[in-house]
Structures are given as C-alpha cells and as structure tokens.
Amino acid sequence: MKVYCNGNARISHNTTGEVYEIEGDELDWDAVDGDERQMGPEIHYEATIEHPELGELTWGLWEYPVGIENNHETNAGPHHVIADFDYGLEHGEPEPDEWLDYTAPDNPFTIFMSSYHHTGDLLADHGKDNGGHLLNRMVFSHQVTALEAYLGDTLINEVIADKATMQRLIDQDDDLAKERFTLADISKDAGLVERKVREHLRSILYHNLAKVDVLYNIALGFRILNLANDKQSLFKAVMLRHDCIHRNGFDRDGNELKVFTKAFVQDTADLIKVFVDNIEKAVRARPAGTL
C-alpha cells in the first residue's frame, strides 16, 4: 500500500491574496503513526513542506481498517486552498517477475543476531559521541534495515511452510483475496498460488510496522506491536532511518539531525533486539497451522 499524489495544489495567501502553486512531487509521504482500534491499526500517513511564503503546509491521510482510506485532510494554516492535489491510497502491484526467484534464508533470526553483534562492535570501535557522525548514522540505518529483513523473511518462511497459514492469509488479506485465476492458469502452473503469495509478501514495505502487525496477526495469530517494549520509539526509529536514507541525515525542513550519538544508536539497537527476540519466541511457540 502506498499514497498516490497527482496534479498541483494552488493556495492563496490569507493576507496578500497571492496564489502559490505547489507540485505533487514536492511532497514526501511517510507513515508517521499507527494506533490500535477495534478493527486493527489505524495508519496515519503525512507529507509536510515548509513554504517560504505560506509557512508549514501539511497533508494527512488515514488508513483504517487496513486497505481502506478512512479520511484525508489538508492543513494550509490560515491560507485558502483554491485547488488541492488528487491524493489517496494506491494498491500497488508488484512487477510480474519481481522476487520470483527469491528464497528467504532458513535462519533469519541468526542473521539478525549476527548483524546486531557486528554493528555493535563497529559502533564501539569506531563510533563517536557526536550525534551527527556519519558512521553512527550508517550503523543506525543498518539496524532498522536488519529488522525489516527479519520481519519479511520470517513471515515468508512461516507462510510458505504451512498450508493452513497460507490459506488464512489468502482469505483475509485484502490484496490477496482479490486475486482471480482460471482453471487453465492453475493447470499450467501448479505453483501459481504460492508464487503469488510470495510475490505479495516481498512487495510489502516492512518498515510499515502497523501494516506488518496486521499481516502477522492474520497469518500467525499474534500482533508484533504488542511485543514491543516501546512502540513509539520503534516508529521514531523508522522515521529517522527514512531521513538518513533519503535525506542524508537531514529532516524534511532541511535541519541536520544530531540525535545519532553512540548511546542513542546502541539504545535503539538494544530496543530492536528485544523486539526481535520477543517475536522469535512467539513464532517458535506457535503450533503450526493454528492460531
């Protein structure tokens, strides 16, 4: 699931009346929050820009339940929105052969733990107390990436290994439930269903923890966010990684981020490790094919 944003917005200044035009590609959308509600998590996406004349402008979109656009809101402060973007939720389709030959490793937990220890050694030996240090930032980004890889590979392994788990995902995941095949399609490719499920799981953005929480609950019968010691810090880590990867360590307003001290990076690594430990225990304690 991702946010589409088409066209341009035109906003009139409340004092001067001058009209400013903003292009859709100026907006950078992020999943900024996820709150648990009766039908699962509500995911909040947001894009904010700092306009030199209009000040802060914000566009918000809420997904609830998963896969359904519940509300969207444009906040131009005191100014008047003459014309807005066309924006909303888009159900993305993977490329036909995307990840077709990908096989998840048998031991995603072991791989994660190896990464945790190696990056921890690197941070201890070469990291700096300076919160803007490049190596600190690189280690931090890798830690969140390792979490994403663990979440994705573990889910794929569990779903592909058990027919009941796969069927539950097919029945309850909105995107998979919409797939339709003819008897001719199935007879030509005995592995068609498994391949489609695998492709779908590889298309998920595993830093969207609220979405992944829903998938784990459908397939494996437990919510990963219930196993987090500090859910908000995990969401913050994902957002900070986005700034590291896409903005080279600057926030959306152009301010350099100085939070990546050795202590902060190590604390985040430990938080993620405990989160992964708890998920791994829940996976191993789960009887195959049951909730």
Side-chain angles (χ1 to χ4, degrees):
M1 195 74 60
K2 63 180 180 178
V3 178
Y4 70 83
C5 184
N6 302 321
N8 297 334
R10 299 176 67 241
I11 300 177
S12 172
H13 195 285
N14 71 315
T15 302
T16 66
E18 185 172 354
V19 176
Y20 298 90
E21 188 165 289
I22 301 167
E23 297 181 357
D25 59 8
E26 295 183 50
L27 271 60
D28 192 2
W29 292 88
D30 295 312
V32 298
D33 195 12
D35 294 324
E36 192 68 29
R37 295 180 59 184
Q38 185 177 3
M39 293 186 290
E42 178 183 55
I43 306 171
H44 178 197
Y45 302 89
E46 187 176 274
T48 301
I49 64 172
E50 189 70 32
H51 192 277
E53 303 297 333
L54 300 173
E56 183 176 276
L57 307 172
T58 302
W59 286 262
L61 177 66
W62 285 261
E63 178 184 2
Y64 176 76
V66 170
I68 303 299
E69 181 182 329
N70 185 40
N71 186 34
H72 67 266
E73 179 181 281
T74 299
N75 185 357
H79 312 297
H80 177 61
V81 179
I82 300 173
D84 206 349
F85 304 109
D86 172 27
Y87 66 97
L89 287 179
E90 179 175 83
H91 294 256
E93 293 288 341
E95 294 297 322
D97 293 326
E98 185 177 18
W99 300 107
L100 181 59
D101 298 324
Y102 178 83
T103 300
D106 294 331
N107 54 344
F109 180 71
T110 300
I111 293 173
F112 171 84
M113 289 303 298
S114 176
S115 173
Y116 168 80
H117 290 299
H118 287 160
T119 54
D121 291 343
L122 187 63
L123 181 70
D125 293 341
H126 303 286
K128 303 293 182 184
D129 292 331
N130 174 11
H133 187 56
L134 175 61
L135 186 137
N136 293 12
R137 200 165 70 233
M138 292 173 63
V139 169
F140 175 87
S141 299
H142 182 80
Q143 290 164 346
V144 179
T145 300
L147 169 62
E148 293 181 46
Y150 168 80
L151 291 173
D153 290 339
T154 298
L155 184 60
I156 289 173
N157 284 344
E158 294 299 312
V159 168
I160 299 303
D162 185 75
K163 290 183 178 180
T165 300
M166 184 185 298
Q167 188 62 53
R168 192 161 48 248
L169 189 66
I170 292 170
D171 291 340
Q172 299 182 43
D173 180 87
D174 290 339
D175 293 325
L176 286 174
K178 292 186 300 184
E179 292 279 1
R180 294 292 182 269
F181 308 111
T182 66
L183 287 176
D185 292 331
I186 298 172
S187 66
K188 291 176 183 176
D189 184 357
L192 177 63
V193 174
E194 179 179 318
R195 177 164 59 83
K196 287 295 183 180
V197 171
R198 190 187 297 272
E199 287 177 359
H200 173 63
L201 291 178
R202 288 308 306 176
S203 74
I204 300 300
L205 301 176
Y206 284 91
H207 59 253
N208 187 340
L209 297 180
K211 170 70 171 179
V212 177
D213 182 61
V214 171
L215 289 174
Y216 266 74
N217 190 46
I218 291 173
L220 306 184
F222 65 87
R223 294 192 173 277
I224 62 169
L225 291 179
N226 290 343
L227 304 177
N229 287 356
D230 186 346
K231 183 174 71 173
Q232 293 307 315
S233 291
L234 286 173
F235 276 106
K236 179 181 178 182
V238 170
M239 294 295 295
L240 287 172
R241 174 192 174 274
H242 185 277
D243 289 333
C244 291
I245 298 298
H246 298 285
R247 301 190 183 101
N248 197 28
F250 288 77
D251 66 17
R252 67 182 66 193
D253 299 320
N255 303 310
E256 184 178 3
L257 296 168
K258 297 284 190 178
V259 300
F260 304 105
T261 62
K262 285 180 70 172
F264 175 80
V265 174
Q266 186 60 55
D267 286 346
T268 302
D270 294 339
L271 176 68
I272 292 173
K273 176 182 176 294
V274 171
F275 184 43
V276 170
D277 273 333
N278 290 340
I279 294 172
E280 184 69 12
K281 290 175 183 176
V283 169
R284 292 180 179 179
R286 172 186 166 270
T290 63
L291 286 178

